[in-house]
Amino acid sequence: MDWHRGQRMKEGMSNNSTTSISQARKAVEQLKMEACMDRVKVSQAAADLLAYCEAHVREDPLIIPVPASENPFREKKFFCTIL
Amino acid sequence: MCDQTFLVNVFGSCDKCFKQRALRPVFKKSQQLSYCSMCAEIMATDGLHENQTLASLKSEAESLKGKLEEERAKLHDVELHQVAERVEALGQFVMKTRRTLKGHGNKVLCMDWCKDKRRIVSSSQDGKVIVWDSFTTNKEHAVTMPCTWVMACAYAPSGCAIACGGLDNKCSVYPLTFDKNENMAAKKKSVAMHTNYLSACSFTNSDMQILTASGDGTCALWDVESGQLLQSFHGHGADVLCLDLAPSETGNTFVSGGCDKKAMVWDMRSGQCVQAFETHESDINSVRYYPSGDAFASGSDDATCRLYDLRADREVAIYSKESIIFGASSVDFSLSGRLLFAGYNDYTINVWDVLKGSRVSILFGHENRVSTLRVSPDGTAFCSGSWDHTLRVWA
């Protein structure tokens, strides 16, 4: 996002030594926590994503279009208010 | 180090030295305590083993990262698009601009749908925030913010208020009123205060709490009524550009993306980062949860969109083409999660098949960068906002 880059902090600032020790400790703690996570195999995760899609695709109006009369954006109705 | 959001709304007795000071929360063995800044600094170096120095901590971090990658790789038994080979291909898409909302005087930066699937709020560089009826294209409300570059706006779940902010470093809530005698700006409530620009905001499940992301590198959760900071989220190494709340069924988490190329998933109650993903090669402009809440997509300045699965804890798909060289500014899923709509800085919108990883359609129409894109709550349409001053509703 270059249009507000003037206000951005530089990534390199985190290498300054003053608060580095507490930051480094936090990083190590965070990584230890993330390492303990229970993970699933990609095949299982992918199968679940597929299952969700298949279960809901019939209700997805952008894939299975509903009749034009039911989609307020597709129907050629003129919205007018009587003033 | 990132600027801190203002944490000093607690003043009392330090849990360590018992002196009356301004306190900040620290975590010691997963327990939250309140220390004054002196004791917090001392604690940072406390308990370090004799040969633990900055260098050794950094190398420990590197080796832990290596181990994490190994663990993740062990579970990488197949690619998503391979599993998706058995899924039927999608047919031809006919998606056109059905409405064009004209009225902003400058670049549209952000937009959001109301839960009524009809109203839209949008904000622009010139400081104007407009509420539209997307069926009729009429403007229902307009307010001028005291700042320019209103980069974030959101509709309250009740439909009775909107939140917005930008270069003023604040997030303000405006109740929507149809009373012609009431001046909308008069009822404005300042809720969030950051130390740098506001890049994104979102109401949680109610009108009472707002989640914000800022150029100061933090995200924060605020109580709307009192303006009090409820929780702050520190961890990004640079500006946070986007956030998205998990679908309500899946609990209290949200994902944020930033200029440090990281996407981070946070626990809203504890303020802890639970997962982090760093595979993008440039700023992450937009993140959006998959409708089931088990995955999220991101759009980045590196011209790719990626899908990350939370349970597999890794990136599972990349949506890119050699011909696409401009950054993706905003992404959103269709209702079933099968389609991913992404707006790009080359003025186009690409529609991706999430499962197969291929592009199904490319939509032209905008005359400048697409800056924001959201699918309507019932999935019948999606709206895109652009630097060409207009918003387009596609169906």
Side-chain angles (χ1 to χ4, degrees):
Chain A
M1 291 217 129
D2 45 349
W3 39 281
H4 51 79
R5 212 154 258 189
Q7 298 211 42
R8 265 180 51 185
M9 300 170 305
K10 300 252 187 305
E11 253 194 283
M13 269 171 70
S14 55
N15 288 329
N16 281 345
S17 54
T18 39
T19 39
S20 279
I21 292 213
S22 56
Q23 268 183 271
R25 286 189 83 197
K26 275 190 212 149
V28 170
E29 298 295 323
Q30 178 65 31
L31 285 164
K32 281 187 184 157
M33 211 184 64
E34 285 180 32
C36 302
M37 209 196 119
D38 276 324
R39 290 176 191 82
V40 241
K41 283 201 175 143
V42 175
S43 49
Q44 174 67 55
D48 290 345
L49 291 175
L50 250 77
Y52 186 90
C53 255
E54 282 176 31
H56 292 85
V57 79
R58 264 162 288 279
E59 304 149 11
D60 190 335
L62 288 169
I63 295 185
I64 312 243
V66 294
S69 53
E70 283 175 36
N71 185 332
F73 294 107
R74 284 194 180 176
E75 61 178 346
K76 292 196 188 294
K77 204 166 106 172
F78 292 98
F79 288 89
C80 296
T81 45
I82 311 290
L83 294 168
Chain B
M1 183 56 205
C2 320
D3 289 353
Q4 304 280 320
T5 40
F6 293 129
L7 298 170
V8 288
N9 45 2
V10 181
F11 191 92
S13 172
C14 170
D15 282 337
K16 189 166 159 76
C17 64
F18 307 111
K19 296 199 179 124
Q20 288 293 315
R21 292 273 143 83
L23 304 174
R24 61 167 86 150
V26 296
F27 287 94
K28 193 166 183 175
K29 295 195 201 327
S30 331
Q31 193 203 352
Q32 186 175 331
L33 302 165
S34 296
Y35 278 10
C36 66
S37 48
M38 271 285 271
C39 292
E41 276 303 314
I42 295 170
M43 195 202 88
T45 42
D46 235 2
L48 277 176
H49 298 304
E50 224 178 75
N51 13 354
Q52 259 189 340
T53 57
L54 184 60
S56 75
L57 280 170
K58 286 204 166 156
S59 69
E60 198 185 342
E62 284 310 308
S63 82
L64 277 169
K65 269 191 205 165
K67 287 214 187 95
L68 251 180
E69 275 318 301
E70 262 179 56
E71 288 299 310
R72 283 173 170 170
K74 277 185 203 159
L75 299 162
H76 189 195
D77 51 351
V78 78
E79 295 289 342
L80 174 61
H81 63 84
Q82 289 171 308
V83 177
E85 263 159 31
R86 62 175 183 80
V87 180
E88 249 179 69
L90 294 165
Q92 273 300 322
F93 278 96
V94 181
M95 252 179 267
K96 294 196 283 191
T97 302
R98 306 287 174 173
R99 302 283 192 280
T100 306
L101 305 178
K102 294 188 189 173
H104 276 295
N106 213 320
K107 307 176 172 72
V108 176
L109 301 176
C110 187
M111 57 87 31
D112 191 17
W113 287 88
C114 177
K115 286 220 158 64
D116 71 1
K117 313 154 219 168
R118 174 172 182 156
R119 287 175 178 79
I120 287 177
V121 62
S122 61
S123 63
S124 84
Q125 183 196 336
D126 62 0
K128 286 251 184 350
V129 178
I130 301 180
V131 176
W132 315 76
D133 176 337
S134 63
F135 290 179
T136 62
T137 76
N138 289 338
K139 298 178 205 34
E140 292 192 349
H141 300 89
V143 70
T144 305
M145 293 278 286
C147 68
T148 56
W149 290 93
V150 188
M151 296 173 229
C153 62
Y155 228 116
S158 67
C160 298
I162 54 165
C164 50
L167 286 187
D168 56 352
N169 300 358
K170 294 193 256 188
C171 184
S172 311
V173 175
Y174 292 85
L176 295 174
T177 168
F178 279 96
D179 184 346
K180 290 194 181 62
N181 296 324
E182 278 205 53
N183 178 8
M184 241 178 93
K187 294 250 162 173
K188 162 178 160 174
K189 195 185 301 188
S190 276
V191 173
M193 281 281 295
H194 279 280
T195 54
N196 210 326
Y197 64 89
L198 189 85
S199 54
C201 65
S202 173
F203 283 88
T204 60
N205 293 330
S206 76
D207 285 18
M208 294 291 95
Q209 293 182 350
I210 282 193
L211 196 54
T212 58
S214 167
D216 64 14
T218 70
C219 298
L221 180 67
W222 309 82
D223 177 270
V224 174
E225 200 53 52
S226 62
Q228 200 192 354
L229 174 67
L230 298 172
Q231 185 61 265
S232 67
F233 307 90
H234 298 253
H236 275 287
D239 309 24
V240 187
L241 296 179
C242 49
L243 61 81
D244 190 35
L245 274 134
S248 33
E249 306 82 51
T250 49
N252 298 309
T253 59
F254 73 93
V255 59
S256 64
C259 291
D260 56 356
K261 311 173 200 170
K262 282 204 274 191
M264 302 177 84
V265 182
W266 306 87
D267 179 324
M268 275 166 70
R269 278 171 294 203
S270 67
Q272 297 275 74
C273 167
V274 292
Q275 282 172 278
F277 304 89
E278 202 173 350
T279 62
H280 269 293
E281 292 163 17
S282 187
D283 304 1
I284 297 180
N285 297 316
S286 172
V287 285
R288 196 71 64 206
Y289 268 96
Y290 188 79
S292 70
D294 286 332
F296 69 90
S298 58
S300 160
D301 275 348
D302 66 7
T304 68
C305 297
R306 295 173 199 236
L307 185 69
Y308 298 91
D309 189 288
L310 294 171
R311 294 173 323 138
D313 189 35
R314 63 174 296 120
E315 172 193 295
V316 292
I318 304 185
Y319 308 101
S320 67
K321 264 180 127 62
E322 266 186 46
S323 53
I324 300 178
I325 56 172
F326 284 85
S329 62
S330 52
V331 297
D332 203 356
F333 286 99
S334 69
L335 210 65
S336 62
R338 182 68 195 270
L339 298 175
L340 181 71
F341 299 97
Y344 289 77
N345 293 341
D346 64 2
Y347 315 176
T348 66
I349 295 170
N350 287 300
V351 187
W352 300 91
D353 180 330
V354 171
L355 304 176
K356 292 187 184 283
S358 54
R359 180 174 65 185
V360 295
S361 191
I362 176 169
L363 303 172
F364 299 95
H366 278 296
E367 294 164 12
N368 206 322
R369 286 194 194 191
V370 178
S371 53
T372 177
L373 190 156
R374 294 297 290 263
V375 172
S376 75
D378 61 353
T380 51
F382 70 91
C383 178
S384 57
S386 162
W387 280 19
D388 68 5
H389 308 190
T390 69
L391 292 113
R392 281 170 183 256
V393 181
W394 308 75

